[in-house]
Amino acid sequence: DIVMTQSPTSMSISVGDRVTMNCKASQNVGSNVDWYQQKTGQSPKLLIYKASNRYTGVPDRFTGSGSGTDFTFTISNMQAEDLAVYYCMQSNSYPPTFGGGTKLELK
Amino acid sequence: EVQLVESGGGLVQPGRSMKLSCAASGFTFNNYDMAWVCQAPKKGLEWVATISYDGSSTYYRDSVKGRFTISRDNAKSTLYLQMDSLRSEDTATYYCARGRSLFAYWGQGTLVTVSS
């Protein structure tokens, strides 16, 4: 199975910050990486698909980039409602595998 | 509006069985592959199983092969997960999700606790 390694595991941030997190695949997954947001007590929500495509209704402060084995997810202007755990997931080959998550916390 | 509503979770003893259901509405159920994804308490997400739109193909993570069975009833727009020989490590919230590997819609989840 493809292993997805996210870093950092947590970040202390302030409203208005630019937030960047990373995801590294154990083998080439092309552009087949998606990003999900999970707020406390809620189910995950798709934000970005195929590395850089924003899903319907997702604010443009959320962006994704990368290909091959290295991927980046950025929130350009952190809002309080963005506090959550963010997961990357590779959908290049079965089984789909998730990273361990990056938790955003307020400073 | 797309809705996925899971049910059937609860407390079950190790070695016993449990069957989860996911009632779908708001879309043409038999046009989509469906999946189950789980999340152990305070842990990350793990894909569990997927079934093709017509039920002809199924896929499982290694740790549940031979113990879990994913199925669907397209006439009832309902997805199922039959879980047999449950282990403590199966304790998790189980989400149903629409899609084969792009999960644009998720249910609210149902908690399965395996404990004596």
Side-chain angles (χ1 to χ4, degrees), chain B residues 10-15 86-92 112-116:
Chain B
L11 177 63
V12 61
Q13 293 181 328
L86 281 161
R87 306 168 180 168
S88 58
E89 55 264 36
D90 297 321
T91 293
V112 174
T113 303
V114 184
S115 174
S116 53

Side-chain angles (χ1 to χ4, degrees), chain A residues 1 34 36 38 41-46 48-50 55 87 89-92 94-101, chain B residues 35 37 39 43-47 49-50 59-62 95 98-109:
Chain A
D1 297 359
D34 314 309
Y36 294 86
Q38 187 178 32
Q42 296 185 18
S43 52
K45 175 183 171 183
L46 175 65
I48 300 287
Y49 65 98
K50 289 199 179 298
Y55 187 63
Y87 295 94
M89 189 197 83
Q90 68 82 20
S91 51
N92 187 65
Y94 250 61
T97 46
F98 292 89
Chain B
V37 177
Q39 185 170 37
K43 299 293 185 182
L45 301 166
E46 284 190 336
W47 168 80
T50 294
Y59 311 87
Y60 300 93
R61 67 180 297 110
D62 285 347
Y95 297 99
R98 193 183 84 174
R100 185 172 190 274
S101 53
L102 181 65
F103 305 130
Y105 293 95
W106 299 64
Q108 85 289 348

Side-chain angles (χ1 to χ4, degrees), chain B residues 5-6 11 17 24 26 29 35 52-53 59 69 77 80 89 91 109-110:
Chain B
V5 180
E6 301 95 335
L11 177 63
S17 298
F29 184 69
S52 61
Y53 67 98
Y59 311 87
T69 303
S77 296
Y80 302 102
E89 55 264 36
T91 293
T110 187

Side-chain angles (χ1 to χ4, degrees), chain B residues 75-95:
Chain B
K76 295 182 178 179
S77 296
T78 302
L79 175 72
Y80 302 102
L81 186 67
Q82 175 69 42
M83 304 185 292
D84 298 324
S85 304
L86 281 161
R87 306 168 180 168
S88 58
E89 55 264 36
D90 297 321
T91 293
T93 295
Y94 286 76
Y95 297 99

Side-chain angles (χ1 to χ4, degrees), chain A residues 15-71:
Chain A
V15 171
D17 281 355
R18 179 181 180 87
V19 176
T20 297
M21 62 189 73
N22 301 295
C23 183
K24 188 172 186 68
S26 61
Q27 58 187 270
N28 189 340
V29 295
S31 295
N32 296 304
V33 166
D34 314 309
W35 290 89
Y36 294 86
Q37 175 195 65
Q38 187 178 32
K39 298 181 180 180
T40 302
Q42 296 185 18
S43 52
K45 175 183 171 183
L46 175 65
L47 297 183
I48 300 287
Y49 65 98
K50 289 199 179 298
S52 60
N53 297 276
R54 216 171 285 116
Y55 187 63
T56 306
V58 174
D60 60 8
R61 65 179 181 273
F62 297 101
T63 57
S65 63
S67 65
T69 60
D70 293 290
F71 300 84

Side-chain angles (χ1 to χ4, degrees), chain B residues 63-83:
Chain B
S63 62
V64 308
K65 276 180 190 172
R67 299 190 300 122
F68 289 12
T69 303
I70 188 172
S71 63
R72 64 193 296 158
D73 184 335
N74 284 346
K76 295 182 178 179
S77 296
T78 302
L79 175 72
Y80 302 102
L81 186 67
Q82 175 69 42
M83 304 185 292

